[in-house]
């Protein structure tokens, strides 16, 4: 009972802790909407409010607030510490695995990267989420992850279904998988470290289906990011830039 109460208290967000109020948090979310025009891996629909994000995507909201508070470095540092503390408790201590957690890491790694070595360690968290949730392969028919993420089939109801292997993850999950590949590979290449996620035909398939669906305009460019990082991967392999091979 005591440990459960402690966990609930530790998981309070920045608003509950009095670091920031709801009004200013809303301003920072709007600031992030402007900042993320060239960030196609996490989409924040216009109807999502601070309260909606607090309920549905609390970790993503914390990461957004930390990234968008760049004008006030003192506040940004407080928000970063809050995010990392809650991340550790929820992911490492409690073992939580979710799209919310993964999306938050992508935002944090893209904007709050003042210490590259610490950020590189966080890429391991992101890649482990992708692998453990199975986002880097087609979902199994009755998998727990598939049920949690709301997998659908990419063919009309009533049409002939070739096989359950045609199942695909929903758009948010596919974007997050692509984002993890691009961002984490970029860190690996910059620091000449071994990359965990590698290019696969399924990765390109995820980008291609998003481009065909074009739910948002930024989905059309994801395939170009995938191919660019694939080329960088080939260059690193050709010239042996991976320091683990020394």
């Amino acid at each position: 009972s005591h440990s459960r109460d402690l966990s609930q208290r530790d998981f309070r967000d920045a608003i509950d802790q009095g670091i920031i109020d709801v009004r200013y948090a809303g301003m920072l979310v709007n600031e992030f909407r402007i900042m993320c025009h060239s960030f196609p891996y996490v989409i924040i629909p216009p109807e999502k409010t601070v309260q909606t994000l607090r309920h549905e995507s609390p970790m993503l909201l914390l990461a957004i607030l930390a990234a968008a508070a760049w004008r006030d470095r003192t506040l940004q540092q407080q928000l970063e510490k809050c995010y990392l503390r809650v991340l550790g408790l929820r992911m490492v201590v409690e073992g939580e695995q979710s799209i919310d957690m993964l999306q938050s890491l992508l935002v944090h790694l893209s904007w709050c990267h003042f210490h590259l070595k610490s950020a590189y360690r966080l890429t391991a968290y992101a890649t482990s989420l992708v692998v453990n949730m199975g986002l880097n392969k087609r979902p199994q028919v009755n998998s727990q992850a598939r049920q949690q993420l709301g997998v659908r089939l990419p063919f009309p109801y009533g049409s002939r279904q070739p096989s359950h292997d045609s199942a695909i993850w929903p758009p948010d999950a596919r974007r997050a998988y692509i984002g993890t590949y691009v961002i984490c590979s970029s860190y690996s290449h910059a620091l000449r470290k071994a990359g965990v996620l590698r290019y696969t035909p399924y990765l390109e398939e995820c980008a291609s289906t998003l481009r065909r669906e074009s739910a948002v305009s930024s989905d059309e460019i994801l395939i170009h990011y995938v191919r660019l990082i694939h080329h960088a991967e080939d260059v690193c392999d050709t010239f042996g830039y991976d320091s683990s091979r020394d």
Side-chain angles (χ1 to χ4, degrees), residues 13 24 31 39 58 65 92 98 102-103 123 136 154 173 195 203 212 236:
D13 66 11
Y24 193 53
E31 172 74 16
F39 184 71
L65 296 179
V92 179
S98 65
L102 179 57
Q103 290 178 323
T123 66
N136 59 328
L203 182 65
R212 285 198 301 270
C236 289

Side-chain angles (χ1 to χ4, degrees), residues 190-233:
L191 298 173
R192 298 198 174 187
K193 302 284 187 180
V196 176
L197 285 183
R198 303 280 295 182
Y199 173 87
T200 65
Y202 179 64
L203 182 65
E204 179 142 344
E205 181 184 330
C206 287
S208 297
T209 56
L210 285 166
R211 182 171 64 174
R212 285 198 301 270
E213 294 164 6
S214 293
V216 293
S217 59
S218 59
D219 283 346
E220 297 181 9
I221 65 174
L222 287 169
I223 195 165
H224 302 296
Y225 282 112
V226 168
R227 290 171 178 172
L228 179 64
I229 296 300
H230 184 203
H231 288 314
E233 200 174 89

Side-chain angles (χ1 to χ4, degrees), residues 32 39 42-44 53 56-66 83 99-108:
F32 183 77
F39 184 71
V42 178
I43 303 299
I44 311 296
L53 289 168
E56 297 178 356
S57 307
M59 292 303 299
L60 175 58
L61 175 61
L62 271 177
I64 286 172
L65 296 179
Y83 169 75
I99 286 294
D100 175 40
M101 193 77 65
L102 179 57
Q103 290 178 323
S104 76
L105 280 165
L106 297 181
V107 169
H108 187 75

